[in-house]
Amino acid sequence: KDWTLPGISVNYGVRFLGICTKNESAFTISILTNHEFEPPVVPPATAYTLSRCDQTTREQVRMDPVDVIVGGDGSKSTVANTSGIRKRQLETFFTRRGDLERKINVPGLKQVSMVLDFKLSNGTCPKTRTDVRGTDPYYVGFLVKGIAAVFKRFYYGHCQMQLLFTREAGMEIMNGASSLGGKEANLPWNTVLRVCKVVLKKPYKSQKHLKQALLHTCSGNSICASIVPVSIDLASTTSTILRTPEPSHVSISEPRHVFSEPSHVSSSANFKAESKKRDPEPEHVSVGSGGLEPGHVSGESESGQVSEPRHVSGGSGARDGVVVLLVGDALSTAHYRLGVGINTGFRTSKAIGLALRESYKGKSKEEILVGIERIFRENVGGILEIVLDLQGSTMYYETYCGLIVFFDHSSDDLLKAQSLYARGSKLGEYNPIDDSELATLCAD
Ligand SMILES: Cc1cc2nc3c(=O)[nH]c(=O)nc-3n(C[C@H](O)[C@H](O)[C@H](O)COP(=O)(O)OP(=O)(O)OC[C@H]3O[C@@H](n4cnc5c(N)ncnc54)[C@H](O)[C@@H]3O)c2cc1C
């Protein structure tokens, strides 16, 4: 059903499948579907990647002409996949202590986490203790080995508990889960029982009682709780311009990563200060063989130097194109203990508005496309950088250094707001960490 917002017609229940070209113009291919996207009635979306529309026309598939695509379709973004934008895992980030910035590289940076959803009982979640045992997310770590923190999201009819494990415990759990086939019986139920004993008013007597309190049924191979090695996945570029094909067909070039790769692989204890440079870089100009092709009008030379944008507007050789902009989890996933997911979604969406204002300024379509992409990239780059550094450094301090990260909410700089503490010898005692201690604490 179509609903109308001022100036916009919204089609609900439509699944985006890909982008194709028809008569040298770009079209999106989508299919009218139910809200759950089930049952699948067409082959996977990748079948429609960068192809000509006449190769993809099937019953039930609809096509809409398009100039700008905003991919807000989550962490498994079909918009990104079908635009040739790859995902990679965040491993390099900057920390900021005082005025000193350090570049840290942690191969395979992740934090193992377990998420449990409890049933409502008489309309309420399990009652949590009102003292420090139930209110301090880090207190459990004093009493239950292997636990770094426990966060509860018990509101609005949802009762979700998230356990964050220490690095050693996380590795042990992941190794056990994979070697034993990932069955629920192999999840760390005894640890969960002990956690519930600390934080809940009425803890469970046994694993059986605990599992019965969960929303999803635990039986055989069915999943009633999930263990996830949380990593931050980010798109290789914030945005791209896909070009319609030229008459002479050459091969499609690979998209390049936006952020500079680390020049060396350093250990987690590497504290060598390096100058900060992670500006988004435009991708190669490319020419392609069939459908739309990834590539900006500005490019990076073989030597790695970013060249000036090549404006092709007004020229007879200008090819039509479509701008693809990524927002939210499609651009970068969120480590949800930090609450950056929703905020970043809104902040990057604002950049869409700023970018689209360009459509009123450009003289030709080419100028408009290039302007939209540039303004979006400029506005999103800074936001993304802060969010990635915040997430990378917090995961690093907590998981690889065994520290606790509190935040000074009066600070206007998110990274400087991080206050580092270590657990003391007494229950509930947190001792501030001097920066000079970090190198020792974070050593392998
Ligand atoms: C358990 C959990 C707890 C979290 N807690 C917090 C928190 O406390 N605070 C916080 O800030 N963040 C939290 N997050 C993160 C936050 O939920 C995400 O960062 C945020 O939802 C991302 O929003 P999004 O719109 O980019 O993507 P999504 O919310 O994933 O929305 C994407 C939408 O696109 C649709 N879609 C997908 N593919 C297609 C397609 N091909 N065609 C059409 N539509 C499509 C999907 O159906 C979906 O509706 C949490 C995440 C999880 C998993």
Side-chain angles (χ1 to χ4, degrees):
K1 187 170 180 179
D2 285 8
W3 298 80
T4 306
L5 297 175
I8 296 174
S9 170
V10 180
N11 301 314
Y12 289 99
V14 172
R15 176 166 70 157
F16 170 84
L17 292 177
I19 309 152
C20 67
T21 59
K22 193 173 180 184
N23 303 330
E24 308 306 317
S25 306
F27 283 76
T28 63
I29 311 174
S30 46
I31 182 164
L32 285 171
T33 177
N34 65 29
H35 287 268
E36 301 301 321
F37 296 162
E38 293 291 343
V41 288
V42 290
T46 46
Y48 298 95
T49 305
L50 307 177
S51 48
R52 285 186 183 282
C53 297
D54 53 11
Q55 293 165 352
T56 57
T57 308
R58 282 161 209 237
E59 230 182 304
Q60 284 189 281
V61 172
R62 55 177 275 175
M63 292 176 210
D64 301 289
V66 67
D67 295 317
V68 180
I69 298 177
V70 178
D73 53 343
S75 57
K76 296 191 171 66
S77 171
T78 307
V79 172
N81 289 340
T82 54
S83 304
I85 299 176
R86 308 266 193 282
K87 281 283 173 87
R88 71 181 175 93
Q89 209 178 313
L90 178 73
E91 295 186 331
T92 304
F93 52 89
F94 286 81
T95 60
R96 196 175 305 149
R97 310 295 309 154
D99 289 329
L100 186 63
E101 276 189 349
R102 292 188 172 104
K103 183 178 178 179
I104 310 272
N105 180 244
V106 183
L109 176 70
K110 60 175 120 20
Q111 191 165 28
V112 176
S113 155
M114 182 173 186
V115 173
L116 301 133
D117 289 296
F118 290 90
K119 280 182 209 155
L120 289 170
S121 166
N122 296 326
T124 56
C125 292
K127 295 254 182 321
T128 53
R129 293 177 62 115
T130 49
D131 60 5
V132 68
R133 293 164 68 112
T135 54
D136 176 357
Y138 304 99
Y139 193 88
V140 194
F142 286 100
L143 298 170
V144 183
K145 193 167 175 274
I147 293 290
V150 174
F151 293 93
K152 298 180 294 308
R153 301 183 191 93
F154 283 11
Y155 27 64
Y156 303 119
H158 297 279
C159 318
Q160 188 174 83
M161 185 188 277
Q162 183 188 15
L163 277 52
L164 291 176
F165 296 97
T166 60
R167 188 184 179 197
E168 297 72 30
M171 276 164 54
E172 211 173 290
I173 290 165
M174 290 314 297
N175 289 341
S178 58
S179 66
L180 295 167
K183 292 183 185 153
E184 65 87 8
N186 304 318
L187 297 180
W189 291 113
N190 279 333
T191 304
V192 180
L193 261 184
R194 284 198 286 274
V195 167
C196 291
K197 207 169 169 186
V198 177
V199 301
L200 297 184
K201 270 190 177 160
K202 284 189 187 162
Y204 305 102
K205 286 188 200 127
S206 65
Q207 281 193 22
K208 189 177 154 207
H209 288 94
L210 164 64
K211 289 179 190 175
Q212 280 171 352
L214 296 177
L215 191 60
H216 306 289
T217 315
C218 303
S219 66
N221 287 343
S222 79
I223 297 164
C224 55
S226 57
I227 291 263
V228 191
V230 182
S231 59
I232 307 299
D233 297 324
L234 66 145
S236 57
T237 182
T238 57
S239 46
T240 189
I241 298 178
L242 302 173
R243 295 286 171 188
T244 50
E246 265 183 330
S248 61
H249 299 147
V250 194
S251 64
I252 295 177
S253 70
E254 287 289 303
R256 294 173 69 95
H257 286 180
V258 165
F259 299 112
S260 56
E261 291 294 336
S263 55
H264 63 283
V265 176
S266 57
S267 78
S268 58
N270 190 322
F271 273 86
K272 191 175 151 218
E274 294 187 27
S275 70
K276 187 163 189 174
K277 189 199 169 296
R278 196 172 57 184
D279 300 330
E281 292 162 8
E283 296 176 349
H284 268 301
V285 176
S286 59
V287 284
S289 58
L292 291 165
E293 304 141 13
H296 288 281
V297 286
S298 52
E300 196 186 4
S301 72
E302 289 305 316
S303 65
Q305 298 292 312
V306 178
S307 61
E308 286 300 308
R310 289 175 231 164
H311 288 287
V312 291
S313 57
S316 56
R319 288 189 287 154
D320 202 358
V322 51
V323 191
V324 178
L325 314 171
L326 298 181
V327 292
D329 276 15
L331 177 59
S332 146
T333 56
H335 188 3
Y336 34 84
R337 114 118 176 84
L338 293 171
V340 296
I342 305 296
N343 284 321
T344 310
F346 280 114
R347 291 176 77 195
T348 49
S349 299
K350 189 178 170 193
I352 298 284
L354 292 172
L356 291 183
R357 279 212 297 225
E358 282 305 294
S359 57
Y360 294 101
K361 295 183 188 160
K363 293 187 191 70
S364 65
K365 181 172 175 192
E366 179 60 23
E367 276 184 4
I368 293 170
L369 292 182
V370 172
I372 288 176
E373 197 277 331
R374 179 179 53 80
I375 298 288
F376 180 73
R377 184 160 30 90
E378 284 171 3
N379 280 282
V380 155
I383 299 169
L384 197 57
E385 206 160 72
I386 293 167
V387 166
L388 294 176
D389 287 343
L390 174 74
Q391 301 197 99
S393 58
T394 304
M395 285 167 78
Y396 172 66
Y397 290 138
E398 285 186 350
T399 312
Y400 294 76
C401 311
L403 297 175
I404 291 160
V405 184
F406 293 121
F407 287 90
D408 171 6
H409 293 287
S410 63
S411 172
D412 54 5
D413 180 323
L414 268 176
L415 282 187
K416 283 187 183 168
Q418 290 173 320
S419 308
L420 305 182
Y421 286 78
R423 284 196 172 84
S425 53
K426 289 189 205 137
L427 275 180
E429 182 185 73
Y430 303 109
N431 299 321
I433 286 296
D434 189 85
D435 289 348
S436 61
E437 297 172 72
L438 277 177
T440 323
L441 287 168
C442 305
D444 276 334

